[in-house]
Amino acid sequence: MGVNPKRNIETLESTEEMSMCILNNKKFNSEEAEEIIQAIRIEKHPKGSILLKEGEVAKDCYLLIKGCVRQYFLVDGVEKTTFFFVEEQGFSSFRSAAKGIPSDHFLECVEDCTLAVLSVQKELELYKKYPNFESLSRSGLEEQLGDYQEMLGKFITSKPEDRYLDLLENRPELINRIPQYQLASYIGVSPETLSRIRKRLFLKK
């Protein structure tokens, strides 16, 4: 588990990059783009920061500019990792944010992170005012939900070794960025079992 230090909000070159991305998006006119830019804040969080705790109501949506964030549940005192978010991925505790109910999971920075942050309240206001913004956000959410469904299906129907092979094929960037015990939790095995899987695969080469 990580710590939850006081947030260090900086508006440096990442803000400029985010602004250019929005301004260059042909779905928005200059007025829309400017208001969206003004609503977004850039936050930098050190490794180990907790963006959201179990029991808190989610108030923000995030887009990762740099770094990696882990989603995990606490089950009988044991952390169960369910997802890793990396650069250019958006995320939030969607159920908590949509219904205003406490989150049942944690969001933790696995690395030093730079995030574009938009409050849920402001996002809803922008949806009402600018349908193009809602359409774009919905498209991204649908794609993400599709990824979740595919991941869950593979997890239920595959063996641990196959899950690790799938990780190597589809998310190889995680292998050297994530502690082994978190990777083990992600594919549903103990760190010792993951070590045996990696050794067995190495010997097959």
Side-chain angles (χ1 to χ4, degrees):
M1 292 189 60
V3 296
N4 190 21
K6 183 177 180 181
R7 292 181 173 180
N8 178 28
I9 301 174
E10 298 184 29
T11 53
L12 302 175
E13 61 183 11
S14 295
T15 305
E16 297 174 7
E17 293 170 359
M18 180 60 62
S19 298
M20 289 302 299
C21 178
I22 294 171
L23 287 169
N24 290 333
N25 192 314
K26 299 185 184 301
K27 289 182 176 290
F28 305 121
N29 60 40
S30 58
E31 178 187 350
E32 292 171 335
E34 182 62 29
E35 185 164 354
I36 294 170
I37 290 168
Q38 292 299 319
I40 293 172
R41 63 187 190 271
I42 303 299
E43 296 186 3
K44 293 196 174 187
H45 297 265
K47 177 181 178 180
S49 298
I50 300 294
L51 301 176
L52 180 70
K53 293 182 180 179
E54 177 186 19
E56 293 180 343
V57 176
K59 296 181 179 179
D60 292 314
C61 299
Y62 302 92
L63 175 67
L64 253 174
I65 298 173
K66 183 178 181 182
C68 180
V69 170
R70 175 173 73 117
Q71 176 181 294
Y72 71 90
F73 291 74
L74 201 57
V75 182
D76 297 327
V78 179
E79 296 177 8
K80 302 289 186 179
T81 301
T82 54
F83 208 79
F84 293 101
F85 303 95
V86 294
E87 289 82 3
E88 298 184 17
Q89 288 187 307
F91 64 95
S92 179
S93 179
F94 295 113
R95 181 168 175 268
S96 173
K99 296 187 175 182
I101 60 177
S103 169
D104 57 1
H105 58 265
F106 294 77
L107 294 173
E108 177 193 27
C109 296
V110 180
E111 301 173 334
D112 292 345
C113 290
T114 302
L115 304 111
V117 187
L118 179 63
S119 74
V120 172
Q121 180 179 354
K122 187 61 179 179
E123 182 181 51
L124 292 175
E125 292 174 5
L126 290 171
Y127 283 171
K128 291 179 180 179
K129 193 171 183 179
Y130 302 122
N132 284 342
F133 183 60
E134 182 180 15
S135 176
L136 186 64
S137 297
R138 182 183 292 117
S139 177
L141 180 59
E142 288 173 350
E143 182 178 348
Q144 189 172 347
L145 288 174
D147 291 340
Y148 280 159
Q149 287 181 324
E150 183 176 353
M151 182 187 72
L152 180 60
K154 287 181 178 179
F155 186 89
I156 293 173
T157 60
S158 62
K159 297 178 181 179
E161 184 171 315
D162 294 327
R163 293 175 204 152
Y164 182 69
L165 288 170
D166 183 71
L167 188 68
L168 287 174
E169 180 179 355
N170 295 304
R171 303 204 69 185
E173 76 279 2
L174 296 179
I175 302 300
N176 295 320
R177 297 176 67 173
I178 307 301
Q180 181 164 306
Y181 78 94
Q182 292 181 0
L183 286 176
S185 175
Y186 182 56
I187 64 171
V189 300
S190 68
E192 294 76 17
T193 298
L194 178 56
S195 292
R196 289 194 291 271
I197 289 173
R198 296 177 76 165
K199 182 178 181 180
R200 187 161 59 244
L201 291 174
F202 177 78
L203 292 174
K204 286 182 179 179
K205 293 181 179 180

